[in-house]
Amino acid sequence: MSTVKESVDVDVPLHAAYNHWRTSVGGVSREFDTEIVDQLPDERIAWRTVDGDVDQKGVVTFRSIDDVHTRVSLAMEFQPEGLAEKAGSAMGRVDRRVKGDLRRFKDFVEERGRAEGGRRGRITPG
């Protein structure tokens, strides 16, 4: 398994950052299903793959820095498949992709500046 960890500070309140969160996987095009295994509004969302040819799990956490700034942190584990993916993982390609995605998230959420609707209920492990 390979692990990637990245964080970004965004200039919006925690509630706004949490309600904008979405995930996508770039690079090799594959289809897979995930399930949310833990969700605590304004704190964290954890997921794992349930089928398809991707083995991945992760968690994104949201921490208030102050009333108008939030730290968004992502930790993800995945199993690279094939020589190209293993080489790309070893060279830091996934880390750079995640860092770029977090920068794009920062730009998006700061431009929007307000919370959008989202599922805010509690999901518990098990």
Side-chain angles (χ1 to χ4, degrees), residues 12-106:
V12 298
L14 185 141
H15 185 75
Y18 179 88
N19 280 349
H20 281 83
W21 181 255
R22 302 286 187 271
T23 185
S24 65
V25 177
V28 176
S29 198
R30 288 196 246 155
E31 197 168 309
F32 58 95
D33 293 326
T34 61
E35 68 178 344
I36 302 294
V37 294
D38 188 20
Q39 175 174 300
L40 183 58
D42 293 337
E43 187 174 315
R44 72 178 166 274
I45 302 169
W47 71 91
R48 68 177 173 210
T49 55
V50 292
D51 61 25
D53 61 349
V54 175
D55 184 10
Q56 179 194 104
K57 62 183 175 182
V59 63
V60 61
T61 59
F62 304 84
R63 300 283 183 249
S64 180
I65 296 170
D66 58 31
D67 288 345
V68 293
H69 299 93
T70 303
R71 177 159 296 137
V72 179
S73 299
L74 174 83
M76 183 175 69
E77 291 183 357
F78 63 98
Q79 184 63 49
E81 296 293 330
L83 186 59
E85 283 186 24
K86 289 177 182 175
S89 177
M91 295 181 341
R93 180 175 290 156
V94 175
D95 293 52
R96 287 190 302 277
R97 174 63 190 215
V98 168
K99 186 177 277 192
D101 286 346
L102 286 175
R103 277 194 314 269
R104 284 183 286 282
F105 173 76
K106 175 182 173 62

